[in-house]
Amino acid sequence: MDLFQQHRLDVTEAEAPLAARLRPRTLDEFVGQDAIVGPGRLLRRAIQADQLSSLIFYGPPGTGKTTLARIIANTTQAHFIAINAVLSGVKEIREAIAAAQDKRGMYGQRTILFVDEVHRFNKAQQDALLPWVENGTVILIGATTENPYFEVNKALVSRSRLFQLKPLDEQDLRQVVQQALEDPDRGYGKLNVQLDEAAIDHLVNVANGDARALLNALELAVETTPPDEANRIHITLSVAEESIQRRAVLYDKEGDAHFDTISAFIKSVRGSDPDAALYWLARMVYAGEDPRFIFRRLLILAGEDVGMADPQAIAIVHACAETFDRVGLPEGRYPLAHATLYLATAPKSNSVMGFFDALATVEHEREGDIPNPLKDANRDKKGFGHGSGYLYPHAYRDHWVAQQYLPTSLQGQVFYQPSDQGFEAAIQTQVARQREAQLAALVDDTAGSDALTFGAIDAAQERWLQRTLGQAGERLGAVRDRLFALASPQRHHVMLDLNAGSGLLTWEAIRQVPEGSVVACVRTITDADAIAQQAIALPELARPIVLQATLTDLPTVLKAQATDLRFDHIIGRNVLTREVDKASIVRSLLPWLQPTGSITLAEGIPRQAQRLSQLLDPTWLTTKLYKKLVQAEEAIYAQPDDPMVNWDASDLQTMFEGVGFKVELQVEPLSTDTLITAALIDRWFATDRAQPTYAMHLSHQLSPAEMTKVQAAFDRLVNQTVHWYSTIVFVHAHR
């Protein structure tokens, strides 16, 4: 590059718009999108580790798609090529591929190809990229404002990880303004700019989540406002209003926003919410949507969702559409709003969907013959008897008679189900009574015919299959599924498994948050090694972060090894059961939880667990000894100093509320079939364990002779399947 080229680049950069000059260069400068580039998120870790795979960034303008690509270009060791799909074609793609092949062959260097507005490539251009993405010649990073599932080649989408960027929130936009005002080199830090709070509020509100629109408006306001006597550029509300006069509504009549907005509109009308319906209608009209398109959708809705509940709905919407065609805009907005409000407040019924049940029957059932009485009698009544037996309804009282109109094979089939809404409610009883009469007539007609026959019952299908394996796995799987249903993690969330020894929750968390990260806390080095060995099969970026620590030591370990992480969800199974100071454990986790984060736990309640004495037949012992056994066993669960048994669900609720949480508790009794084995009884009656066993507890109240008799009674259960009762409490706590 010669001096003239460098000078031209310097001048271009200096004269670039404010939004271009302030484009972030590193992840630390990047504002917003914490869901995908915040600490612990997959994309941030991939960028920092320079281990990117093909990506597609999807989101509205001004949310940081191109900026993220530039940041990747600044941090990666790979060769970076950027092209714009509006200005480029197959020629530019071939040149980029050739350069990538050279870099790979000569230096072993990867190439990242960034394609801005990738949806602008036609199918042939996208197909030209596919083989080179597939064989790894280039790593594709695409940016698009359109839904990639609709606008990008499915093969490219399937080979890329999609990240959806959201409009920036108010706090993010205020941070962008602050950066612009304070940066002395790229912003207005060298100028004395005073921005009134009302002016900031207006700019942020009207920018509508678009950082570029916000910076463009700020630039216009600053550059067109002369300084006062004190050399101060004062941006008032009136100046801000002139700088950004109209809110930029994201709406493309052939794109995602068009379909999403009309979907929101129709669902609001269907849901009988007139306020939401008017809002989405206003969004479409403001953005320039064709009112005739809206009327077409309203006419469909009048038939599909209002239907027989208000048979006049179609006529009224049609009349409004005719009125619009006659008066045009802007007055045509009145009939458009009229039709919307009429349908939004009308009773709803989708009973017309019965037609599609009938259509499915026609498609899948054997075509039934038209009943003879319903056939045309004008041509061959004499020859074939067509039409014979038809009962003319007008000849009967109420102009109705009970006769069958369906083919014989479908008689008794119901397609139309009247709702109890609006006009349809008035005919619901009538239709039901007439059907009852038709069915009665059908029974009378078939009373003399051959009875239906049934084959012999297959004994194999009736046999009860005793499940002796997998009970524990099924029970734990159900607990796992329930925990994740309560937590409801999103793909980009960061999760902490507090008791990851078995991996039950850790591996499910990895499946559910593929764009976030998972931290697994284990208590022993053995458990840590086991988790690490199992994780080897996963890609490096998908592996959990394994921390070996007790719950008491966990905050210290987090501070040392994962200081920048904040968790969206903390989960665990039987985490607090053995902890003496449960409240202290929960309180220590608070600094590591996002403000909107939650703690979700499944805790077995030992106090409400199965009593082993209940498994015995009381006649196997003397009445006195059995009573003494029950009392000794209950004493186990009444020890006030034992953290295993000195609490129940209400204590957990009080404890969580005491540290500032809102708590949802779900206490559920469980019953499973359990096989009693000799090994299990040996564990119950062991006397050489560090932790007190069942027998060791009983021995405080039973003599050795009595203990011998009790164990002999339990030995009679060996190889028997019993109903095992337990109680589990699901805790979902959030701030």
Side-chain angles (χ1 to χ4, degrees):
M1 180 183 298
D2 59 32
L3 291 176
F4 294 104
Q5 290 175 314
Q6 182 62 50
H7 176 71
R8 184 167 61 251
L9 289 175
D10 293 341
V11 171
T12 300
E13 183 175 347
E15 295 179 350
L18 178 64
R21 300 200 306 271
L22 278 177
R23 192 184 295 278
R25 295 161 295 189
T26 66
L27 282 174
D28 292 333
E29 293 179 357
F30 192 82
V31 176
Q33 311 302 339
D34 284 345
I36 61 173
V37 293
R41 311 301 186 191
L42 174 70
L43 182 58
R44 187 185 191 94
R45 292 185 287 121
I47 293 173
Q48 292 172 336
D50 199 7
Q51 294 186 14
L52 289 169
S53 57
S54 291
L55 311 171
I56 294 179
F57 296 138
Y58 157 52
T63 53
K65 300 183 296 299
T66 304
T67 296
L68 274 177
R70 302 274 184 181
I71 289 173
I72 291 170
N74 292 337
T75 57
T76 183
Q77 298 298 315
H79 180 53
F80 192 90
I81 302 174
I83 61 177
N84 189 297
V86 176
L87 305 174
S88 305
V90 173
K91 176 177 177 291
E92 286 75 15
I93 295 175
R94 288 174 177 166
E95 291 173 353
I97 297 302
Q101 290 174 320
D102 290 342
K103 292 289 184 182
R104 193 178 190 182
M106 298 173 64
Y107 308 108
Q109 186 180 22
R110 300 177 306 147
T111 295
I112 294 176
L113 175 61
F114 172 60
V115 182
D116 203 5
E117 303 292 338
V118 66
H119 64 278
R120 298 288 188 181
F121 272 158
N122 59 34
K123 187 177 185 301
Q125 292 166 326
Q126 293 186 30
D127 286 344
L129 274 175
L130 182 60
W132 310 111
V133 172
E134 192 168 29
N135 66 19
T137 300
V138 295
I139 297 170
L140 172 68
I141 299 180
T144 174
T145 57
E146 303 297 330
N147 191 327
Y149 287 107
F150 299 148
E151 302 296 337
V152 179
N153 187 317
K154 291 182 179 179
L156 277 180
V157 170
S158 69
R159 288 162 176 80
S160 306
R161 186 180 289 274
L162 269 62
F163 290 95
Q164 183 175 5
L165 282 70
K166 300 290 187 180
L168 274 63
D169 61 27
E170 179 180 340
Q171 183 179 353
D172 294 333
L173 292 176
R174 286 178 176 274
Q175 186 176 343
V176 169
V177 171
Q178 197 69 22
Q179 286 182 353
L181 296 179
E182 294 178 353
D183 192 311
D185 299 320
R186 298 182 294 159
Y188 295 123
K190 295 179 179 179
L191 301 178
N192 183 8
V193 179
Q194 178 182 335
L195 195 60
D196 288 352
E197 189 64 28
I200 296 178
D201 290 342
H202 181 73
L203 291 175
V204 167
N205 177 48
V206 181
N208 205 30
D210 187 335
R212 187 184 296 108
L214 175 67
L215 290 173
N216 289 342
L218 178 63
E219 181 179 29
L220 181 61
V222 172
E223 300 292 345
T224 59
T225 302
D228 58 17
E229 297 81 2
N231 203 31
R232 179 187 60 175
I233 299 175
H234 185 199
I235 309 300
T236 63
L237 175 59
S238 61
V239 174
E241 288 174 338
E242 292 176 359
S243 301
I244 187 168
Q245 294 181 357
R246 178 181 172 93
R247 181 189 295 273
V249 175
L250 177 62
Y251 201 86
D252 183 344
K253 291 184 182 180
E254 296 180 357
D256 219 32
H258 160 79
F259 292 105
D260 287 344
T261 309
I262 191 64
S263 174
F265 171 67
I266 291 299
K267 289 173 180 175
S268 299
V269 177
R270 180 184 295 135
S272 299
D273 188 335
D275 302 307
L278 287 179
Y279 171 77
W280 296 115
L281 176 66
R283 279 271 292 260
M284 290 188 290
V285 171
Y286 184 86
E289 181 60 83
D290 183 0
R292 292 174 179 82
F293 166 74
I294 301 174
F295 271 120
R296 284 197 297 274
R297 295 301 302 267
L298 288 174
L299 280 166
I300 295 169
L301 185 143
E304 177 184 358
D305 296 299
V306 176
M308 288 294 292
D310 186 350
Q312 294 300 314
I314 288 181
I316 289 175
V317 176
H318 183 266
C320 289
E322 292 270 327
T323 303
F324 175 85
D325 285 338
R326 182 159 298 200
V327 302
L329 288 172
E331 291 84 356
R333 295 176 177 182
Y334 291 113
L336 186 58
H338 183 158
T340 298
L341 287 174
Y342 186 91
L343 293 182
T345 57
K348 304 297 190 296
S349 170
N350 67 343
S351 59
V352 72
M353 301 299 287
F355 165 75
F356 297 97
D357 293 335
L359 192 62
T361 300
V362 171
E363 291 174 349
H364 301 297
E365 300 284 342
R366 190 181 69 178
E367 185 175 323
D369 191 25
I370 298 173
N372 201 57
L374 300 185
K375 292 181 178 178
D376 181 16
N378 292 322
R379 294 175 297 165
D380 44 23
K381 182 177 181 180
K382 293 182 179 180
F384 296 104
H386 288 177
S388 177
Y390 172 65
L391 305 178
Y392 187 57
H394 295 297
Y396 295 83
R397 188 179 64 183
D398 298 328
H399 302 265
W400 182 85
V401 62
Q403 65 179 334
Q404 287 294 325
Y405 297 95
L406 280 167
T408 303
S409 61
L410 294 176
Q411 287 181 2
Q413 176 72 51
V414 173
F415 296 114
Y416 173 54
Q417 294 281 11
S419 74
D420 58 359
Q421 300 297 308
F423 171 82
E424 202 165 29
I427 65 173
Q428 187 182 47
T429 302
Q430 171 194 339
V431 171
R433 292 181 69 239
Q434 289 177 345
R435 280 181 177 155
E436 290 167 2
Q438 284 181 315
L439 289 174
L442 175 63
V443 171
D444 288 343
D445 288 344
T446 59
S449 60
D450 293 337
L452 296 176
T453 59
F454 296 88
I457 297 175
D458 184 356
Q461 294 179 357
E462 296 297 319
R463 192 178 302 125
W464 176 261
L465 300 178
Q466 178 81 13
R467 291 184 295 175
T468 58
L469 297 175
Q471 287 284 345
E474 290 180 9
R475 185 166 63 250
L476 292 177
V479 171
R480 175 201 60 205
D481 295 343
R482 186 67 170 277
L483 276 172
F484 279 90
L486 288 171
S488 298
Q490 298 182 28
R491 292 173 60 86
H492 61 272
H493 279 172
V494 179
M495 301 189 71
L496 169 63
D497 181 1
L498 289 175
N499 190 7
S502 68
L504 176 75
L505 305 182
T506 299
W507 307 124
E508 181 64 21
I510 289 172
R511 279 190 289 271
Q512 296 214 17
V513 293
E515 287 146 23
S517 59
V518 177
V519 175
C521 176
V522 296
R523 298 174 186 268
T524 67
I525 189 65
T526 302
D527 289 339
D529 290 341
I531 293 283
Q533 286 297 320
Q534 293 176 62
I536 288 177
L538 295 173
E540 184 176 348
L541 289 174
R543 295 172 189 170
I545 301 169
V546 181
L547 303 179
Q548 182 196 344
T550 64
L551 291 184
T552 304
D553 296 335
L554 179 59
T556 303
V557 175
L558 282 171
K559 190 173 182 179
Q561 300 186 36
T563 185
D564 62 339
L565 287 185
R566 294 297 179 271
F567 299 104
D568 298 286
H569 301 286
I570 297 177
I571 59 173
R573 183 178 65 86
N574 291 338
V575 171
L576 301 174
T577 305
R578 298 179 182 273
E579 298 295 331
V580 176
D581 191 350
K582 297 175 173 58
S584 177
I585 296 295
V586 173
R587 192 179 296 110
S588 71
L589 295 172
L590 282 175
W592 304 97
L593 194 63
Q594 291 276 17
T596 57
S598 66
I599 298 179
T600 308
L601 305 176
E603 300 285 339
I605 307 178
R607 185 187 288 181
Q608 300 176 28
Q610 172 74 51
R611 301 298 192 259
L612 299 188
S613 59
Q614 295 174 347
L615 302 176
L616 299 177
D617 186 333
T619 62
W620 294 349
L621 298 169
T622 65
T623 302
K624 181 179 179 180
L625 180 55
Y626 183 77
K627 184 177 181 180
K628 195 173 181 180
L629 170 63
V630 171
Q631 291 174 344
E633 186 172 19
E634 287 303 323
I636 300 173
Y637 299 93
Q639 301 180 61
D641 298 328
D642 187 344
M644 285 279 290
V645 298
N646 64 0
W647 62 275
D648 58 19
S650 61
D651 296 315
L652 286 185
Q653 179 163 2
T654 301
M655 181 265 294
F656 272 97
E657 290 175 347
V659 295
F661 280 97
K662 293 182 179 178
V663 189
E664 302 170 23
L665 290 186
Q666 298 178 12
V667 180
E668 295 190 4
L670 300 177
S671 174
T672 57
D673 289 339
T674 300
L675 182 65
I676 304 298
T677 64
L680 181 59
I681 293 177
D682 287 343
R683 287 204 302 272
W684 292 345
F685 285 87
T687 57
D688 57 351
R689 304 293 173 87
Q691 294 292 333
T693 64
Y694 181 64
M696 293 163 70
H697 280 295
L698 295 182
S699 63
H700 295 304
Q701 298 191 36
L702 300 182
S703 67
E706 290 172 329
M707 288 294 300
T708 301
K709 293 178 181 179
V710 168
Q711 183 169 359
F714 275 100
D715 287 338
R716 298 176 67 172
L717 293 173
V718 171
N719 295 327
Q720 291 190 32
T721 299
V722 300
H723 292 298
W724 189 276
Y725 298 96
S726 59
T727 303
I728 190 168
V729 56
F730 292 94
V731 181
H732 182 58
H734 51 88
R735 294 182 179 177

